Amino acid sequence: MSSEEAAADVCATCGEAIKGQFVMAFGRKYHESHLVCSECGKALGVGSASVYEHEGRLYCQEDYDRKLMQRCAKCKVEIIGEFFNVFDMPWHKDCLMCSHESCTEVLIGQDIYYESMGVHPYSSDKPIYC
């Protein structure tokens, strides 16, 4: 058997030889009992709706969302799809609005001032203004 064939029969989690049934995920083989979330240990694959991978680690949907999805700097809700990067943080378009009571200006493509033109870093409890 070539070294490539031998490597193909090794579990990606434990590195031990696979004899008998195995599962495939992201182009790698696993013992059935070793296809688990790297955060919570929940069994993945058979009977499980989703398996996610990031940097070689496997995740269930809940842990992938919790750990890896970007969250809006203002509302802290996960960002799916388009977002804007302001103050080196991701924002939903609707959350990036002027903090003046009577203003509904979306602050995309404008100069933004925060905390009455202060110079401290932004945090979600401080207002931003157009």
Side-chain angles (χ1 to χ4, degrees):
M1 178 179 334
S2 73
S3 61
E4 285 180 10
E5 289 172 325
D9 292 330
V10 172
C11 176
T13 297
C14 70
E16 298 290 322
I18 296 175
K19 296 178 176 131
Q21 292 188 328
F22 62 89
V23 290
M24 292 278 299
F26 304 100
R28 296 181 302 231
K29 293 181 180 180
Y30 296 86
H31 290 112
E32 287 182 291
S33 62
H34 291 170
L35 188 66
V36 297
C37 176
S38 61
E39 286 293 306
C40 69
K42 177 181 172 181
L44 303 171
V46 179
S48 177
S50 302
V51 179
Y52 296 87
E53 186 270 341
H54 180 72
E55 295 180 349
R57 297 185 68 187
L58 301 177
Y59 297 93
C60 64
Q61 183 171 356
E62 294 82 16
D63 285 324
Y64 182 85
D65 290 350
R66 182 182 54 78
K67 187 172 178 84
L68 298 167
M69 286 196 74
Q70 293 193 80
R71 295 185 180 273
C72 176
K74 183 69 175 180
C75 71
K76 307 297 185 221
V77 172
E78 295 155 348
I79 294 177
I80 299 171
E82 184 179 28
F83 69 95
F84 296 89
N85 194 9
V86 178
F87 305 124
D88 292 324
M89 295 178 281
W91 295 70
H92 292 113
K93 179 182 177 182
D94 293 341
C95 290
L96 195 55
M97 298 182 73
C98 182
S99 296
H100 285 291
E101 280 180 36
S102 60
C103 185
T104 58
E105 190 73 29
V106 176
L107 300 175
I108 305 303
Q110 299 187 35
D111 288 331
I112 298 173
Y113 302 93
Y114 49 97
E115 195 60 81
S116 300
M117 298 176 64
V119 292
H120 56 79
Y122 174 80
S123 69
S124 62
D125 62 341
K126 302 218 177 355
I128 54 176
Y129 302 101
C130 56

